[in-house]
Amino acid sequence: MSDPQTLASLTRPSRTPTLTKLPGLLEPHRIILLLIFIVGLVAAIQLMDWSWLPRYLPKLWEGLQMTLIMLVSSVVVGFLIALPLGLAQVKGAWPLRWLATGFCTVIRGTPLLLQLWLFYFGLGALFGQFPEIRDSWAWDYLRQAWPYGFIALTVSFAAYQGEVMRGAFAGVPHGELEAAKAFGMSRRKVFSRVWFPRAVHRALPTLTGEIILQLKSTPLVATITVMDLYAVITQVRQTTYLTYEPLLFLVAVYLCLSGVLIVGLRWLENRVPQH
């Protein structure tokens, strides 16, 4: 017969994985990478010219704000558009399914820079030909560049995320939906309480990557004179004749933004219930 202490030791949860996490961070290759980063950071601070930074901080802050506005607004609105796009491809009538599939295919099959120029030089020039638009309150906004940057980024994100949501909606097991109907739930409750939460949870890991890609796509709006962070850095390079220092500063900012997004979205992924 087994000893009670032996049984207790077998059933007690092991703490070995928790205790081995810290030594894993102290592996030789990670220590070497950390030392290289520290040496590179100290060398960049000591050997490079950063005297321009205090003078351009206000403009850099304004550029960062524009970058964040473009990112957040296009992601939020694009995701709201992606939901019906994904749902239409799974459960919509054939005309809606055809239109949604065609939209996602065309947008995903053409470069974002081309779409940006088409919206800015195409729609912008077209709107200016109508006196009714030029004389309206909307012309104060439509004559600027940022609305077209917002539209291009939103449409691109909606197309890519719409395809992701199509796979997420289709990937929810059909048996779960049938079980919810068997409990007497209406179609609206089945969607809001079962299908939609499960699909969003499935799409969250991919959504994190799409948002990071969207962040790295925002510098393209500088090609239509939107003063985002990249455009300000370009001005700094042209006026100071410095190359490496402004670009390294831009790299550091984008790395910090990407890190914050990854941590925040992973936290959200763990908080969203699967059922």
Side-chain angles (χ1 to χ4, degrees):
M1 190 170 181
S2 301
D3 184 36
Q5 292 183 353
T6 304
L7 292 175
S9 63
L10 291 175
T11 56
R12 186 183 299 116
S14 175
R15 297 184 180 182
T16 303
T18 303
L19 294 177
T20 56
K21 286 182 180 179
L22 184 58
L25 298 175
L26 302 179
E27 294 179 358
H29 70 281
R30 295 185 178 181
I31 296 177
I32 294 174
L33 290 176
L34 180 60
L35 291 176
I36 293 175
F37 173 77
I38 294 175
V39 171
L41 181 62
V42 172
I45 295 174
Q46 296 295 329
L47 302 179
M48 292 186 174
D49 182 10
W50 300 98
S51 59
W52 56 272
L53 189 55
R55 184 168 71 253
Y56 287 97
L57 271 180
K59 288 187 176 181
L60 291 170
W61 172 244
E62 293 177 1
L64 177 61
Q65 287 180 313
M66 177 58 69
T67 296
L68 293 176
I69 290 173
M70 285 289 174
L71 174 66
V72 175
S73 60
S74 62
V75 165
V76 172
V77 179
F79 184 75
L80 294 178
I81 299 173
L83 291 177
L85 285 175
L87 192 60
Q89 294 182 78
V90 176
K91 283 291 185 179
W94 73 264
L96 292 177
R97 184 166 61 250
W98 184 85
L99 287 174
T101 303
F103 173 83
C104 293
T105 301
V106 171
I107 298 301
R108 292 168 64 233
T110 53
L112 176 57
L113 182 61
L114 176 60
Q115 299 165 18
L116 189 65
W117 287 353
L118 285 175
F119 281 117
Y120 179 65
F121 297 108
L123 284 180
L126 181 64
F127 289 150
Q129 296 178 3
F130 295 95
E132 297 82 3
I133 297 179
R134 291 199 309 269
D135 297 335
S136 66
W137 60 269
W139 184 243
D140 291 336
Y141 300 96
L142 296 177
R143 66 192 300 178
Q144 302 180 44
W146 66 264
Y148 305 100
F150 163 73
I151 293 173
L153 291 174
T154 300
V155 167
S156 176
F157 187 83
Y160 280 94
Q161 195 59 32
E163 191 66 20
V164 171
M165 291 308 302
R166 179 197 63 79
F169 280 124
V172 177
H174 187 69
E176 295 183 9
L177 306 181
E178 293 298 328
K181 293 178 182 178
F183 275 102
M185 289 187 181
S186 63
R187 296 180 63 181
R188 181 177 299 179
K189 286 187 177 181
V190 170
F191 177 79
S192 61
R193 296 187 179 182
V194 181
W195 200 12
F196 177 70
R198 293 283 283 124
V200 170
H201 191 274
R202 284 173 169 267
L204 274 178
T206 308
L207 178 62
T208 301
E210 292 293 337
I211 293 178
I212 298 300
L213 291 176
Q214 187 77 347
L215 172 64
K216 293 188 292 185
S217 298
T218 53
L220 291 177
V221 299
T223 61
I224 59 171
T225 69
V226 176
M227 291 304 297
D228 71 325
L229 185 61
Y230 175 77
V232 176
I233 288 295
T234 301
Q235 284 191 350
V236 172
R237 293 176 56 210
Q238 292 173 349
T239 55
T240 62
Y241 300 102
L242 296 172
T243 300
Y244 297 107
E245 291 87 344
L247 291 180
L248 286 176
F249 177 83
L250 187 64
V251 168
V253 172
Y254 275 101
L255 284 176
C256 291
L257 292 177
S258 299
V260 171
L261 288 173
I262 291 173
V263 172
L265 290 170
R266 285 184 178 175
W267 175 86
L268 179 63
E269 182 181 346
N270 294 328
R271 299 282 295 181
V272 173
Q274 298 187 27
H275 301 284

